[in-house]
Structure formats: structure tokens, C-alpha cells
Amino acid sequence: MTMLALYMFPVLFGLLLVGVPVVFSMLATATAFGWLVFDHALVFQFIEKIEDVASNFVLAAVTLFVFMGCMLERAGIAEQLFAAVHIWTRRLPGGLALGTVIMCIIFAASTGVIGATETVVGLLAIPVMLKHRYDKGLICGTICAGGSLGTIIPPSVVVVIMGPLADVSVGDLLVGMVFPGLIMSGFYLLYIFGLCVLRPEAGPVAEDDDGMTLAEKLRITMVALVPPMCMIFAVLGSIMLGLAAPTEAAAIGAAGSVLLAAFYGRLTMAVLQGAVMKTLQVTAMIMAILLAGSMMTGVFIGAGGVQLAQDLVEMANLGPWGLLALVLGLAFLAGFVLDWISIVLIMIPLFTPLIVAAGFNPVWFCILFLVMIQTSYLTPPMAPAIFYLRGIAPPEITTMHMYRGVIPFILLQFATLGIILLFPETVLWLPSKLLGFN
Amino acid sequence: MHAFIRAIDRLTGSVGLVGGWLIAPLVIGTCYEVFARYVLGSPTIWAYELGYMLTGANFLLGMAFALRQDAHIRVDVLYLRFSPRTKALVNSLAYLFIVIPVCAWLSVALYGHAMQSILSLETSGQSAWNPVVWPFRISFFVAFTVLTLQALAELGKCVLLLRGTAGATESGIVLPHVAGQPGSH
Amino acid sequence: ADTYRFKMATGWAGGPLMDIGAKAFAERIDQLSDGRIKVQVFPGGALGNALKVSETVKNGVAELGHTWMGYDWGKDPSVVLFGGYAGSFDSERMLHWLYEAGGAEMQRQYRDEVFGVVSIPLFIRTAEVFLHSRKPVRTLEDIKGLKLRTAGAWLDMAKDLGAAPVTTAGGDVFPMLERGVIDATEWGTLWEDISPGFHKVAKYLIIPGVHQPTAPFELVINKDVWAKLSDKDKKLMETAARLTTLDSWLRIGEEDAKALDFYRKAGNEIIELDPEVQYKTRDIADKWADEVAKSNKWFEKVLVDQRAFEKRWANANQYRNVKVRPTAVQ
Ligand code: NA
Ligand code: NA
């Protein structure tokens, strides 16, 4: 068994720990070990990865949604939007956080990329929640976990890659994940509400009377909430009505945000320029990590990472349930150190045949795996959801707030996993009803 | 050194500006595709390929800009407790031993990669539009070259800081945001 | 004798191309070499770019690769003649052309000269499904304005057929078909298309795949690696590839037949394209090939050779196949 692949992680962690930027830590690890594995061919592998990541049209959703978020923020529309939400939820414990999760669900239904949901909602919601003195850990957990719903509520890039690797229908997965995604979202909502009832200071309710009449409230809401909602539903609607592909819908949203700024009379060259450059900064950061991650994956696999995983499972020599537990456990552990693409590329083709041979349904297994992958976005040190949040959060929110904030949500993901384990129908029922012509 | 740093900062700013505004044709082109397909009933042959090329070039050309803005995020649990000098030291070592050599090495290779596609007039082969790929590949080369240069400039800033900042601020150089958080500007 | 451990890059995630193509070859060469030559197969995108396997192998990132030559269309259009396009003959003829009429040697020479890799045929399949469609498609009239998702050279020809072809990211295809953003999509052969499940959201299955009457795939080998192999091991590689190709051909034939029954039971309606559509497609493809041949020496050379072969085989259906009343086998 070759251990070379394993040695990559101490090196990566060392660099991360002393504060070398994530993208450069990964680049250094990939280069050092890549040289050992591929020698002079390494540079060609890197070039292929650059071309691969740079040619992925689905990633345009990240760019476009980040722009939409930046535009709504710069034009002050985001603040206005959440202020209107606050009028109605101010007496509800954790109302803004609940509104944020609902916003995440809506955006998750219109994009399949994690960075897209998280950054757009984060840009809108963080300033408002901070202003209303929400607990910083709760803010972080809500944004990170809510944003990661992007891949477990259809559409989803993860299952598009996972389906063919597992030899199951992407359609079965996309439909099968609807209930698990909603269950997970429901847990998030319940947890936030419960927490804020028990610890009101986490998501404070307004005690005072805002002195507004119902007519006033309705007027403010109409002005602030309705136009952005129209835009958001244009995005979602264009997908549902079959007008646009998910990636194209993001462009409709981006254009909509510019029109909306013009509608409110806030479209200036300075606002536009500011949104463009902020978008550049955030997307460059997100995609550079994706790129370096994909370089590291190539090296890890070339260094024998696949063999390693295979040997581990063969050594264990377990029964069906033991095998399932081991594979899901490995996926959870891998989530600490690898990004989801690596985990899917390495583990799905390797273990799905074993799992199927052990008598389990492959669609059900893939969804379990998908839920497990949700944790990988949140578990440090390789925690994309936290990286993206870092890229858009103000400095008073520290990384420790984020690490602490995501823990309850990771537990909620385990609860979702448990429900799916106990009730496979949560996955299997809907595809059998919705798909096909019999 | 001051003049060099200022020049690189400006170059990175200009390249970032061009890269950033690529989002405009991306939005317009993609929306037009929806319109052309749904309303006119005749999809374009170029929207898909133009779309991924603009997306790719946008983020690649932004990498140096993000470095200038100190927007490449770190796991900052320890880093935040470092003194400005220690931060500058960590950064200079990272630039010197990781970013500059690796990105310079990639730039050279990407130059060859781009030149080859100019000479052979290689096309993408992915759609009926089938455009030549050299403009796209030149953006790879430019992106990594500017990133290398910006890393050199950042290294220069760290050296200035380690030697004492006197003279740096007068010359209009923004020193590394060693105290700040990424994304705070 | 020498032992080897090779990495094989592929363009596939899973499915028959992986199982009875790349992996079957790995097993076969292991067996024929008594375990001296071990090949580890990697899914598409793991080592390099899934669509650029020949480059991955040429540059030495992987020693071997399993790919479809058509992916290199942007570098040189002649690849479609080896990978199959709307103007190709059927798979039986393709096998004979490759193995008995000098096609494989020509392929070897072409890939070596233009792409700098060693190429051996590995895996072949029959005509694809023409479309998984939300609308019934039978005639040229039905194709007019049809939003069908496809890629590569066929997109141009589909336009001449009257369709409104769409290119899109692979990840968007399923949601687009499900919601009706596109009317139809092509994908693989009958058997291969069971897993992706397009038939669950598109009721009509249109056959045969006039855009892709056959699709031979290839094993690519890094030239330095090949040069170091003994003559005996070179022969072993060729034999393993040839056996795998024939096995794939036999297996797909039987599985496709079963698959048709599967789709019928799944509630899909199977529609055969009018002969007129099939003839017209070939006309368009021939015209397209004539045009490309004017400005490309390799393309011309291969095209002339394939056309001479096809002419020789012009009467093969009369002497090889006996006509049977359709009702006699139903
Ligand atoms: Na989603
Ligand atoms: Na993680």
C-alpha cells in the first residue's frame, strides 16, 4: 500500500496553519507531490486542469449570482429587502435567520453550485443580521449551511457528476433528493427557531412597538419586497417554465439586478463598477480554490489515493451494513481534507459496485453519500462554505465564529442522514411517482 | 523598487478591470441566447462557448487582482495573532518559495501552450461555432504572468515593511493589509 | 520478463465504455501477460481533462488512454472519419475496414503523425439512439425547428436538416430536457442510455442514430512507453485490444436488443425515422465531407480509402443478409 498520497495532508495543514492562503497552500502541495508522481509531465497536468476548470460553463452560475448579490448590495436593495422582511418577522425569534434560510432554499432551487447560493444570500443577509445583533456564530452557521443547500436541493452539480460515476440516472437523483433536501432545510429552520426561543439573545426580537400602521407596513413592503421578489421568481420561473437552463437563469438574475437598480434610481457608473470589481474579487478567490483543488485531486489520485481507499475497505472485510457505515464514515473523514469533487471522483466509482453487490439500492446510497458530502463543505480545515463566507463577511466576524457556528448544522446533517437510513422511501418514493411513463 | 511596485499594481488593476468587465458580454450573450431560442426559435451557435470562455477568463484574470486586494482567504486562526512583521515574513516566504516559482513556471508553459495554438490555429471542436482557441489560451498566459508579477510586487511590499515602512507610504504604495481580514475592503 | 504498472486515463465516468471497454482491456492484458502488465483505470477528469485524453497520454501524465477520437475534432477534422460521423458506414463494415482493409494501420499512422501518440482500435458500438425526444419525430417536417441538444460537427449538419440545435453544458442537459427548454437530446446507444434515464422525462425514442451510424473508440499509448515495450508485449497489447473490441461488439449487440424491450416496457414510444430523413442525412454528410477533403490531405486520403471500401461492399447486404418477413420474427 503506497502511503505517498497520505503524506500530502500534513504538508497542506502545515501551510494552512501558518496562514498561507488556501489556494497557495494547495498549489504548493500539488506541485511538490506532483513532481514526485508525474515528474516533468506535471506541468501538462496542471495546464489541462486550468483548461478544464476555465471551460466549465456551469461555473458561470457562480460569477453571475455573485454579481447579482453584489449589485443588490451596492445599490442598497438588499438592505431594503431584509428591512421589509424584518417588519414582519421582528416579533418572531430568529426571524431574520429564518428568512435567510428560506431565501437560501429559493436560491438553491435555481442553482446547483454551492458558492453561488452562499455568496448571493450572504451578501444580502449578513449586514442586516449584524445590525440587529444576531449571534455571530448563528449568522455564520445559517449562511454556511443554508448556502450549502444549493447542492442538495435540485438542480445540483454534485449529482450531475455523481450519477454517471455511480451508473445511476441523474434524474432519479435530482428527484430523489427533493425530500432529503427539504428535511434538511426543515431541520435548519426548526433548530434556528428553537435556539432563538431558548436563547433569545441569539436572534433578538424587537420589544418596542415600531409605531407603524398596517397600511404603512404594506406600503413599505410593496416598495421594498415585491420588485426583488419578482426578479427572484423570474430566475426560478424561467427554469420551472422551461425557458432557460439553470446557468442561463443566473444570467437573467444578473441582468434583473441591474434593471432593478435602475428601477430604484440607484444605477450609477460607480455602483456598477463597484459591483463588477467586487464580483471579480470574490469569484477569482472561489474559482482559484476550485482550480488548485482540482490540481491537488489529480496528484492525490495519481499518487495512489484510490488504491489507498480500496485497500482500507478490503482490509476491514465487513458485512453489508458495516461496509455502508465504513464508506459513509470515510466520506465524512475525507470531508475534512478534500473537496467534494475529489471525494466523489475517488469513492463513488470504487464503492458503488460493492454497495450494490451488498444488496443496497444505488440511488438511496448516492443520496446518503450526498448528505455526507454536505458535511465536507462545513468541516475545517478544507471547508469551502467557510472560505466563501470569509470572502464576503466583514472583519468583525472571525474564523472562530464560523468554526463554532457550523457545528450544530453538521449535527443536523447527521440527523437527516439518520432519517434517510431509517426511511429509504424519503428518497425512493418521489422518483417512482414523478418520473417515467407508466 | 517603489516605481516597480507601483507599476505592477497599476498593471494588475488594468488587467483586473478588463477581466471584471467580461461579465457584461457574459450576461448579455447568455440572456440573448434565451431570447433567441425561446422567442425567435433559433438558438445561437456561439452563446455556450462564448459563455464558458468569458467565465474562465474572468476569474483567471482576476486572480492577480484578488492577490493585490489580499482577498485570497486563509485559515487565519493563528495568523490573526501574528505581529505585522511575522505576517510579512510568512507572506514573503510564501511568495518567494511558492507563488513566484510555481506561477512563473506555469507562465512559461502556458506561453508555449498559447503559441502552439496560434501556430496551428487549433479550434475548440465543441460546437458548430468551433472558434479558434488562442485568444482564450492567451488569457491563461496573461493571468499567470500578471499573477507572478503581482506576487513579486507583494514580496517587495513585504520587504519594505520588514525593513521599516519609512518612505513607502509617501511613494503611494499600499502596504500589505497585514492587519486586516481578507475581503474587508 | 519486464513488469509494468500503467495508468490509463479515460473520458468516461462509468457505463459500458468503462466496464466493457477500459476495464475489460485492463483485465485482458493482465490475463494475457500472466500479471506482468497491470493497468489501473481512472475515470474521466481524474488525471487530466476528460475530453483531452490523447493530450494527457502524449504528455506522459498517463501511459495509456481510452478515448473517442472525435473529441480531437478541433485539432484536425480527419478524426471524425476514424471515430464515426453521419457519413460513416455501419459497424460491421467499420470492423472489416479497420481489421481487414488497412484501416487500423492508417489510423496508427495518422495518430502518430498528427498527434504524436500510438493508436489501436479499442471498443466499438453500433448506431446510437437518434434522439430522446419530448415530441414525436418521424419526418423532415417534424425535425424543422426542433430544439435538439448536441455537440461537435453534427451540430452544423443538423442545421442543414432543419433542426435548431443547441449546445449546452453537460450538467444542464437533464433539467433542460425535463422542463422542456430543449425538445430532445442525443446521448449514447440503447443500452448505454438506460442509466442516464432520459427516457423517464422524454417519451419518444427516435431510432436509428443517423448522426452516428458507428463509433469506434481507441487505445492511445504514449510513444516513449510504446518504444520501450518488447515486440512480444506490443503484440500482447494489440491482441488484448482486439479481443476487447470484438467482445464489446458482441455484448452491445445483445444488450441493445434487450434494451429496446426495456424501453417499451417503460412506456416509451419507439419511432423509426422515415427513410427520407436517413437518406437526406447521408447526403448532407457526404457533401460536408467533400468540402472538408478539399482543404485537408489526411481527410482526403482516409475518405477516398473508406469510399473505395464501401463501394466494394456495395452489394454486401444482398449476399450476406437474407430478407425475412418482419412478421416472421415477431
Ligand atoms: Na440547487
Ligand atoms: Na471539509
Side-chain angles (χ1 to χ4, degrees):
Chain A
M1 180 187 317
T2 169
M3 301 300 282
L4 186 65
L6 272 193
Y7 298 144
M8 292 174 77
F9 299 113
V11 175
L12 177 68
F13 292 166
L15 291 168
L16 287 177
L17 200 65
V18 296
V20 176
V22 177
V23 51
F24 301 138
S25 303
M26 294 166 93
L27 195 60
T29 313
T31 309
F33 285 85
W35 198 261
L36 293 176
V37 178
F38 295 111
D39 207 353
H40 290 281
L42 180 66
V43 75
F44 298 112
Q45 201 219 18
F46 280 7
I47 289 178
E48 277 190 43
K49 294 294 185 184
I50 292 170
E51 191 135 16
D52 207 14
V53 175
S55 311
N56 188 344
F57 186 51
V58 171
L59 289 180
V62 175
T63 315
L64 294 164
F65 271 133
V66 169
F67 174 75
M68 174 176 161
C70 290
M71 196 64 212
L72 295 179
E73 184 211 29
R74 295 279 146 142
I77 298 167
E79 200 185 339
Q80 192 178 301
L81 177 80
F82 267 85
V85 173
H86 189 60
I87 291 179
W88 299 98
T89 63
R90 56 202 298 281
R91 292 303 179 87
L92 185 69
L96 283 173
L98 295 172
T100 302
V101 173
I102 289 170
M103 197 78 85
C104 282
I105 297 173
I106 293 172
F107 273 100
S110 46
T111 179
V113 199
I114 166 181
T117 319
E118 177 170 341
T119 42
V120 70
V121 179
L123 284 164
L124 306 182
I126 293 171
V128 189
M129 284 200 277
L130 275 177
K131 192 173 131 199
H132 291 282
R133 303 179 167 283
Y134 270 55
D135 177 77
K136 295 200 180 81
L138 179 64
I139 296 179
C140 297
T142 306
I143 302 284
C144 286
S148 71
L149 290 175
T151 61
I152 201 174
I153 290 175
S156 165
V157 171
V158 182
V159 300
V160 166
I161 292 180
M162 194 192 265
L165 284 167
D167 244 344
V168 303
S169 160
V170 171
D172 284 343
L173 294 179
L174 285 173
V175 177
M177 67 204 252
V178 168
F179 283 133
L182 291 177
I183 291 168
M184 193 182 282
S185 321
F187 277 148
Y188 291 174
L189 290 169
L190 279 176
Y191 163 74
I192 291 169
F193 183 73
L195 177 80
C196 296
V197 167
L198 294 174
R199 277 186 46 219
E201 69 277 13
V205 293
E207 296 298 337
D208 60 314
D209 187 42
D210 58 8
M212 273 191 266
T213 64
L214 185 65
E216 254 177 295
K217 284 182 182 177
L218 283 174
R219 192 189 58 79
I220 293 176
T221 308
M222 286 299 286
V223 172
L225 201 61
V226 173
M229 277 299 163
C230 289
M231 183 197 69
I232 291 168
F233 283 107
V235 174
L236 201 58
S238 62
I239 298 174
M240 294 301 164
L241 295 177
L243 268 63
T247 313
E248 294 168 339
I252 294 174
S257 68
V258 177
L259 293 180
L260 211 55
F263 172 81
Y264 286 114
R266 295 187 194 140
L267 185 64
T268 64
M269 200 54 202
V271 166
L272 202 56
Q273 173 83 8
V276 164
M277 294 317 275
K278 176 83 182 173
T279 306
L280 182 72
Q281 194 174 307
V282 174
T283 47
M285 179 275 284
I286 292 178
M287 308 241 217
I289 292 179
L290 275 180
L291 173 58
S294 119
M295 289 171 170
M296 232 181 72
T297 303
V299 171
F300 180 73
I301 290 177
V306 177
Q307 194 65 49
L308 201 70
Q310 196 167 14
D311 291 348
L312 274 175
V313 169
E314 270 169 20
M315 259 162 41
N317 193 18
L318 300 153
W321 287 97
L323 176 73
L324 183 67
L326 181 70
V327 171
L328 293 176
L330 272 179
F332 177 68
L333 289 180
F336 286 85
V337 296
L338 292 170
D339 64 357
W340 67 265
I341 303 181
S342 324
I343 302 175
V344 170
L345 265 178
I346 293 166
M347 297 187 62
I348 288 291
L350 204 55
F351 297 134
T352 314
L354 298 181
I355 293 282
V356 173
F360 295 112
N361 180 305
V363 173
W364 175 71
F365 166 69
C366 281
I367 300 294
L368 286 172
F369 202 86
L370 182 69
V371 172
M372 217 62 250
I373 282 178
Q374 292 292 117
T375 65
S376 76
Y377 306 133
L378 307 181
T379 47
M382 290 307 299
I386 291 177
F387 297 158
Y388 305 155
L389 178 59
R390 185 71 279 165
I392 53 166
E396 68 251 44
I397 294 186
T398 68
T399 308
M400 283 324 275
H401 288 132
M402 301 180 187
Y403 288 171
R404 266 190 282 115
V406 296
I407 293 172
F409 291 91
I410 294 175
L411 296 178
L412 293 172
Q413 291 168 350
F414 273 105
T416 312
L417 187 79
I419 300 252
I420 302 170
L421 273 169
L422 287 176
F423 307 102
E425 306 80 45
T426 48
V427 172
L428 302 175
W429 182 76
L430 199 59
S432 71
K433 287 287 147 199
L434 226 52
L435 295 175
F437 298 96
N438 280 333
Chain B
M1 178 140 74
H2 293 178
F4 171 77
I5 294 176
R6 273 198 309 274
I8 299 299
D9 274 356
R10 270 202 306 276
L11 173 71
T12 296
S14 315
V15 170
L17 202 62
V18 173
W21 277 98
L22 291 182
I23 196 170
L26 175 63
V27 172
I28 296 167
T30 310
C31 288
Y32 179 77
E33 163 75 6
V34 176
F35 177 78
R37 191 179 54 225
Y38 191 74
V39 181
L40 309 180
S42 91
T44 72
I45 57 165
W46 45 262
Y48 166 71
E49 292 213 60
L50 189 69
Y52 75 70
M53 287 185 180
L54 291 171
T55 305
N58 168 272
F59 93 82
L60 287 172
L61 293 174
M63 288 192 307
F65 179 75
L67 180 61
R68 195 188 86 178
Q69 305 296 101
D70 197 21
H72 287 294
I73 37 105
R74 328 165 180 265
V75 175
D76 52 9
V77 180
L78 287 184
Y79 186 80
L80 280 182
R81 303 197 179 130
F82 292 166
S83 72
R85 286 187 65 86
T86 315
K87 286 177 182 167
L89 191 70
V90 167
N91 287 330
S92 16
L93 291 176
Y95 296 134
L96 196 59
F97 292 107
I98 301 173
V99 191
I100 296 170
V102 175
C103 292
W105 169 65
L106 277 174
S107 303
V108 173
L110 287 167
Y111 175 77
H113 188 60
M115 281 313 286
Q116 198 193 357
S117 54
I118 292 175
L119 294 176
S120 68
L121 290 179
E122 180 181 342
T123 55
S124 73
Q126 290 206 36
S127 71
W129 185 35
N130 198 17
V132 286
V133 293
W134 61 261
F136 188 40
R137 290 197 179 157
I138 282 184
S139 80
F140 303 176
F141 163 67
V142 171
F144 276 86
T145 306
V146 178
L147 182 59
T148 313
L149 290 173
Q150 188 61 40
L152 270 170
E154 295 298 319
L155 177 65
K157 291 177 198 173
C158 289
V159 170
L160 286 180
L161 193 132
L162 287 169
R163 284 208 317 231
T165 57
T169 37
E170 292 142 47
S171 62
I173 295 170
V174 184
L175 283 172
H177 310 268
V178 283
Q181 276 283 337
S184 58
H185 357 260
Chain C
D2 298 316
T3 63
Y4 299 97
R5 289 188 74 90
F6 293 139
K7 295 190 284 288
M8 181 191 257
T10 73
W12 337 124
L17 278 162
M18 185 56 118
D19 295 336
I20 66 166
K23 285 186 175 163
F25 171 80
E27 278 164 31
R28 186 66 84 177
I29 191 74
D30 186 340
Q31 177 206 5
L32 290 180
S33 68
D34 288 325
R36 281 190 305 109
I37 304 178
K38 298 261 184 215
V39 176
Q40 192 179 8
V41 179
F42 293 91
L47 291 174
N49 186 325
L51 298 178
K52 305 207 158 148
V53 170
S54 70
E55 224 171 284
T56 309
V57 170
K58 175 176 176 264
N59 292 328
V61 175
E63 292 87 2
L64 310 179
H66 188 218
T67 187
W68 180 57
M69 217 193 284
Y71 293 140
D72 284 331
W73 179 50
K75 289 209 175 85
D76 184 82
S78 316
V79 293
V80 302
L81 298 176
F82 295 102
Y85 72 117
S88 294
F89 29 71
D90 67 19
S91 292
E92 189 191 9
R93 284 168 173 77
M94 185 53 96
L95 280 170
H96 282 89
W97 180 71
L98 284 169
Y99 289 122
E100 291 296 327
E105 285 84 39
M106 198 178 257
Q107 168 174 338
R108 174 90 64 99
Q109 197 192 348
Y110 166 71
R111 275 300 232 185
D112 179 84
E113 206 171 283
V114 183
F115 290 85
V117 289
V118 176
S119 169
I120 300 171
L122 175 62
F123 191 98
I124 189 168
R125 65 184 189 195
T126 49
E128 291 187 356
V129 174
F130 180 53
L131 291 172
H132 291 275
S133 178
R134 296 165 58 92
K135 298 174 177 171
V137 176
R138 196 169 279 112
T139 62
L140 284 170
E141 194 50 44
D142 297 336
I143 292 180
K144 194 152 283 165
L146 190 79
K147 289 175 205 138
L148 62 92
R149 189 268 179 189
T150 184
W154 165 242
L155 206 134
D156 235 354
M157 298 179 227
K159 266 193 165 160
D160 291 342
L161 212 53
V166 179
T167 314
T168 178
D172 280 340
V173 178
F174 197 96
M176 285 174 96
L177 186 64
E178 192 206 357
R179 311 266 26 136
V181 182
I182 48 174
D183 300 317
T185 187
E186 48 112 347
W187 204 253
T189 57
L190 287 164
W191 178 36
E192 281 172 295
D193 282 8
I194 291 178
S195 280
F198 293 114
H199 66 280
K200 293 181 185 180
V201 288
K203 186 172 169 71
Y204 303 96
L205 201 98
I206 320 295
I207 51 168
V210 287
H211 64 299
Q212 192 77 56
T214 182
F217 293 70
E218 61 169 349
L219 168 70
V220 282
I221 306 166
N222 180 282
K223 275 170 88 168
D224 297 336
V225 172
W226 182 252
K228 283 187 197 127
L229 291 179
S230 68
D231 284 347
K232 188 180 164 227
D233 284 345
K234 284 179 183 164
K235 196 79 211 152
L236 277 186
M237 297 281 262
E238 284 167 358
T239 307
R242 186 176 181 135
L243 286 173
T244 311
T245 305
L246 294 176
D247 282 351
S248 71
W249 162 246
L250 297 172
R251 179 78 187 277
I252 290 172
E254 175 64 6
E255 293 294 342
D256 274 355
K258 290 187 204 155
L260 199 66
D261 211 34
F262 166 87
Y263 290 116
R264 283 204 187 98
K265 290 204 175 97
N268 293 106
E269 192 177 317
I270 317 258
I271 299 178
E272 190 187 348
L273 285 171
D274 273 0
E276 206 41 54
V277 181
Q278 305 190 31
Y279 298 147
K280 176 92 188 280
T281 307
R282 178 61 190 260
D283 294 344
I284 291 168
D286 284 343
K287 217 175 109 209
W288 178 86
D290 288 338
E291 204 53 44
V292 181
K294 278 182 197 159
S295 58
N296 189 309
K297 283 273 157 276
W298 258 113
F299 195 98
E300 191 195 3
K301 182 179 169 185
V302 183
L303 187 67
V304 165
D305 194 70
Q306 288 188 338
R307 283 189 176 162
F309 170 88
E310 199 177 22
K311 203 165 176 189
R312 194 156 64 239
W313 273 62
N315 297 323
N317 288 357
Q318 290 157 14
Y319 59 76
R320 287 174 77 82
N321 303 332
V322 174
K323 284 191 176 54
V324 179
R325 238 182 277 283
T327 46
V329 291
Q330 269 167 9

